[in-house]
Amino acid sequence: MHEMSYISRMVALAIDVAKENNAKSVKSIVVQIGKTSGVMPYYMYKYYPEAAKGTILEDAELVCEEVPVKALCEECGSEYYPSSENRYLCTACGGRKAHIIEGKGVTLKNIVIEDI
């Protein structure tokens, strides 16, 4: 149920952006969800109408984009997409040490506003 806190935060951020840009209405917001974030897009869509109710976002569309996991190999410096096919090893050198550089957070990517 932590999705409710994430969608509430995304709605608050989008409202702030809309206000800063003197928006009259918001058409859509785009949220990126990392594959390792533990956040389920299904629940973001489910809780969005309640989180946006009574705000400038009430009629705006929510678009969730899943971001794949991207890793940086600590052994050779290559960036790669770990998968079960490559046993999560670096595709360049076969190294086992890496850290995730994409695909772990929830981010407000875009907001489409109308200022007319």
Side-chain angles (χ1 to χ4, degrees):
M1 183 95 112
H2 61 284
E3 283 86 354
M4 186 58 173
S5 63
Y6 278 105
I7 197 61
S8 295
R9 179 173 160 78
M10 293 300 109
V11 165
L13 287 170
I15 290 170
D16 289 346
V17 171
K19 286 180 182 176
E20 289 171 10
N21 289 281
N22 300 315
K24 302 295 182 217
S25 67
V26 177
K27 288 186 171 191
S28 65
I29 67 169
V30 179
V31 175
Q32 290 185 317
I33 302 171
K35 283 281 203 179
T36 63
S37 69
V39 174
M40 305 285 286
Y42 170 81
Y43 290 107
M44 296 288 278
Y45 287 116
K46 181 177 179 178
Y47 300 138
Y48 177 71
E50 186 62 32
K53 189 175 185 177
T55 73
I56 193 169
L57 300 178
E58 188 166 15
D59 295 323
E61 174 188 15
L62 170 65
V63 178
C64 292
E65 296 177 346
E66 286 191 291
V67 179
V69 175
K70 188 176 192 181
L72 176 66
C73 179
E74 293 179 12
E75 296 178 32
C76 74
S78 295
E79 294 180 0
Y80 66 100
Y81 295 95
S83 70
S84 58
E85 289 80 36
N86 64 14
R87 298 185 338 218
Y88 304 100
L89 302 175
C90 175
T91 54
C93 74
R96 297 180 184 274
K97 293 183 179 180
H99 64 272
I100 297 172
I101 56 174
E102 288 180 12
K104 59 183 175 180
V106 178
T107 308
L108 179 63
K109 177 185 175 187
N110 193 25
I111 173 172
V112 178
I113 62 173
E114 283 190 14
D115 55 4
I116 302 173

